[in-house]
Every structure is written in C-alpha cells, then in structure tokens.
Amino acid sequence: MNKMEFMDKMNRDLAPLPEHERNELLARCEECFRIGQEQGKTEEEIVAELDSPSPQPETRYEPAYAGSPYGGAPYNNPVPPPPQAWSAPAPGRPHEPDRDVPRFLGVGILLLFLNLLLAIPVFAALIAAFVSVCIAALSTMLAPLALVAETSLYGEFTNAKLMMSLGMTGIGMILADVAFLFGKGLFRAIRAYAGWNYKTLKGRTYR
C-alpha cells in the first residue's frame, strides 16, 4: 500500500471523527511520510510502521482517537489531556476562639440575680394579672347561664336581672379581647427577654 492509498483509507476510516480532529490526524500522517522519506524509507515501509506502531506503555492519547480502527493516534507523540476546569476550594469553617470561662460565669451569675430579683417577680405578676382577666372575662360571659340556673332553682326572674346578665356578657366580651391582646403582648415580651438573656450570656465569644 502506497501513500495515496493509505491516506484515502485513513480518510474513510476517520470519517466519524470531527473535521478538525480528522484533519489533524491526516496532517500528522503527512508529517510522518515526510520524515520517513527524509530518512530514506519507502512509502510501503512508512505505511507498515503506521499500520503496526510499536507498543508504548504508559502513553496517553487524546480520547477522541479511542474509536479509531488503528487503536490510537497514527503518531508516537502523546497528546496531553484537556485541562480540567478549576473549582474553588470549599470554604472552611471559621476559627472559633476559645471560650472566656470567667466572663461566662460572671455574666451567668449576674443574669441569675437579675432574673430572681426583678424579672421573675415582674413576669409572675403580669401572668397572674393575665389569668385574672381571663377568669373575669369567662365569668362575666357566663352571666346568662348563671341567671338561668338561678331561675330554675329559685324561680325568681326579673327584667333587671336579665338586663344585668346581658350587660355582664358584653363586659365579658370586652375583657376577652383585652385578655387576648394582653396575653399576646406578654408572650412577645417573655420571648424577647429570654432572647436577650441568651445573647447576653452567649456574647461575642460564642458567635
């Protein structure tokens, strides 16, 4: 097989490859023929060398030549692998300084005395007031039922008692609204105060 026949065969065999890869291979084949002819070899000898190249272990070729019928590139120079995409290293966990134990103990003791002497009594009084308002609202709203029970037991019914029970029901509804708003605000205050205690005890050292 001479050079022209070999190049035609290569062109047909490498047709599935992309055009730029196929052209690169054919150009390398032309270069192999030129070098071989300068060394005094015939076209048949060069074709024989290209058809059965000498094995070279640990040689890496371009992955695009894996489908070639010749098992690799028709030249001995290895093609370097494509560059890998650079990826940023994963961010490490920030360094956490050592805990300031004396400060932690001192702040904890101060918060303990503050809560025992001031915060807990104040919040206990507010909670007691909230419970009292809830009980008052419930008892006044049940005034009509109390009137019904009194009438069924003693048989004494007057229009004044009816009007009074209805008035007490209205007052109970107002107290229920007040209790709802008061309880909502009290819950927010307790949650905010607990969060302040946590942040104060935690401090900058624990962030």
Side-chain angles (χ1 to χ4, degrees):
M1 183 184 299
N2 56 20
K3 174 183 176 181
M4 183 176 299
E5 294 173 348
F6 179 79
M7 295 299 293
D8 291 340
K9 184 176 183 298
M10 284 287 296
N11 197 12
R12 292 192 304 270
D13 293 340
L14 299 178
L17 296 179
E19 183 178 359
H20 68 281
E21 296 181 2
R22 184 173 64 253
N23 293 337
E24 182 181 357
L25 281 173
L26 294 177
R28 292 298 181 92
C29 290
E30 291 284 352
E31 182 70 14
C32 291
F33 275 102
R34 184 186 66 79
I35 295 174
Q37 289 175 355
E38 290 179 357
Q39 295 175 355
K41 298 179 181 180
T42 63
E43 293 182 354
E44 287 75 9
E45 292 175 347
I46 297 173
V47 169
E49 292 180 358
L50 293 177
D51 277 341
S52 57
S54 58
Q56 294 184 357
E58 302 298 331
T59 302
R60 184 174 180 178
Y61 294 99
E62 183 71 23
Y65 304 125
S68 172
Y70 299 95
Y75 52 88
N76 295 329
N77 295 330
V79 179
Q84 301 295 328
W86 180 84
S87 58
R93 185 176 181 180
H95 175 70
E96 295 183 357
D98 296 333
R99 296 185 175 181
D100 189 357
V101 177
R103 178 201 168 277
F104 178 78
L105 294 177
V107 173
I109 293 173
L110 289 176
L111 289 176
L112 177 62
F113 280 102
L114 176 64
N115 292 328
L116 290 176
L117 297 178
L118 182 62
I120 293 179
V122 170
F123 282 116
L126 293 175
I127 292 174
F130 170 71
V131 173
S132 301
V133 173
C134 292
I135 294 174
L138 182 62
S139 61
T140 51
M141 290 178 65
L142 296 178
L145 295 179
L147 178 61
V148 172
E150 181 184 2
T151 303
S152 61
L153 292 176
Y154 302 104
E156 298 179 359
F157 175 80
T158 60
N159 292 332
K161 291 182 178 181
L162 177 61
M163 297 302 296
M164 184 179 296
S165 65
L166 294 177
M168 294 294 290
T169 302
I171 295 175
M173 295 176 66
I174 295 175
L175 290 177
D177 293 337
V178 172
F180 173 77
L181 296 176
F182 182 72
K184 187 176 181 181
L186 181 60
F187 173 76
R188 290 181 178 178
I190 294 175
R191 184 176 61 179
Y193 182 75
W196 176 80
N197 275 267
Y198 174 75
K199 292 180 180 179
T200 303
L201 185 62
K202 185 178 180 182
R204 295 182 179 179
T205 304
Y206 299 90
R207 293 179 183 177

